[in-house]
Amino acid sequence: MKPIQMVDTKTQYLKIKNKVDAAILEVLDSAAYINGKAVVEFTNNLNNYVGSKHTIPCANGTDALQIAMMALGLQPGDEVITPSFTYIATTEVVALLKLTPVFAEVNKDTFCIEPASIKALITPKTKAIVPVHLYGHAAPMEEIMSIAKEHNLFVIEDNAQAIGCDYTFSDGTKKKTGSIGHIGCTSFYPSKNLGAYGDGGAIFTNDDTLAAAMKKIANHGQSVRYYHDVVGCNSRLDSIQAAILNIKIAHLDEYNVARQNAASHYNKAFANNPKIKTPFVAAYSNHVYHQYTLQLTGVDRDGLITHLTEKKIPAMIYYPVPGHKQKMFDSFGIGNVDLPVTDELTTKVISLPIHTELDEEQLNYITSEVLNYLNN
Ligand SMILES: *Cc1c(COP(=O)(O)O)cnc(C)c1O
């Protein structure tokens, strides 16, 4: 059996090696390392894939979120509602810009931000909502957009874990996550569903003014060279990563299907086990399984992880400490935030290996070892 990894980027690379290597050599040969042809081509392909009006490539997903928040003209002290149960990047940029993170509760089934919690947290200072499509499942965007409209708030989608996910509105229309809010952000970190071989990110918007503002911010606040209109940053997707991503985007749907197939294998094996809750998929979303995350009840989670580690099966806790319990936010006046669902999820979740290269033998081995531990 092949060794089991949380993500197997190497085996995936070997299947497209010829194309990727040739594309990298082409960039080296062109010497257009920055903003070369590959960046333009990939940006256009990504824009078409997501179905956005504008796509702005940038250096990573964290920058994408930061540039989005900078473009909205938010002022220090403005409140931004985000889930507490997310990767730190989402809330870190809020704090970095001296905005106030306001931690909302998540849904116990989807792990995504709960609209009722958003509503309860809106104050006159609230300016934006940042839903996260966690683990590859969409947040309830239709409800979130209607709350935002009613209260005149911006919505920035954190789509770092859900590129390719389809959202279905109540009238039956479908959109890709990342193209629904005022701004969408994504990451091409190597382990993401569309992963580069280094860092990368992108920002989506259908708004011409915001697109121009974000393009400028990502380029030192200039649209004419050496004339800096606003304080910006330096955030670029480099040509080599763009060339790699341009090959990989053609495989993205197939990659997401491979993840879904691995997830169905797990789901079947774990069905009807009272100690395991398999991932829920809401009617409005499909699931692209950036993570395959179970909720355990009545199981010694550390014991299970030790057992799996002994059997050479990796497993991870995403995320052990939610935002509202992170020391970094102590000075942000967050105080006694009460998020019981979030707190409970941090004690129950476990993520099993999920990627495009898992085979039947590996999946059978993983599921039988999980069940062995649970049944003993
Ligand atoms: C990965 C990730 C990011 C940050 O992306 P980087 O490219 O690593 O900066 C932001 N939000 C979420 C939810 C992520 O998973």
Side-chain angles (χ1 to χ4, degrees), residues 256-275:
N256 282 340
V257 167
R259 287 172 179 273
Q260 287 160 350
N261 289 341
S264 325
H265 190 113
Y266 282 136
N267 286 344
K268 264 184 229 138
F270 298 141
N272 307 320
N273 189 307
K275 295 178 185 166

Side-chain angles (χ1 to χ4, degrees), residues 125-171:
K125 284 187 174 171
T126 309
K127 292 289 153 56
I129 308 167
V130 186
V132 181
H133 306 308
L134 202 73
Y135 303 151
H137 185 285
M141 289 305 294
E142 189 162 2
E143 265 180 281
I144 293 169
M145 293 311 290
S146 96
I147 295 169
K149 196 168 178 192
E150 189 185 332
H151 297 273
N152 204 16
L153 308 173
F154 290 109
V155 175
I156 302 172
E157 291 173 75
D158 183 342
N159 197 35
Q161 300 191 359
I163 191 106
C165 178
D166 291 308
Y167 189 90
T168 307
F169 289 82
S170 46
D171 67 1

Side-chain angles (χ1 to χ4, degrees), residues 59-65 85-92 132-135 158-162 185-192 198-201 290-291 319:
N60 55 67
T62 310
D63 274 11
L65 290 160
F85 195 66
T86 179
Y87 180 56
I88 197 64
T90 320
T91 43
E92 181 186 40
V132 181
H133 306 308
L134 202 73
Y135 303 151
D158 183 342
N159 197 35
Q161 300 191 359
C185 296
T186 203
S187 162
F188 307 121
Y189 183 78
S191 66
K192 299 286 156 86
D199 277 306
H290 174 62
Q291 297 300 343
Y319 296 92

Side-chain angles (χ1 to χ4, degrees), residues 228-265:
H228 305 272
D229 305 330
V230 295
V231 175
C233 56
N234 171 23
S235 191
R236 294 184 283 241
L237 178 67
D238 78 66
S239 300
I240 289 180
Q241 298 308 330
I244 294 161
L245 288 164
N246 211 16
I247 287 159
K248 293 190 74 180
I249 196 173
H251 294 274
L252 178 56
D253 286 342
E254 161 203 326
Y255 288 162
N256 282 340
V257 167
R259 287 172 179 273
Q260 287 160 350
N261 289 341
S264 325
H265 190 113

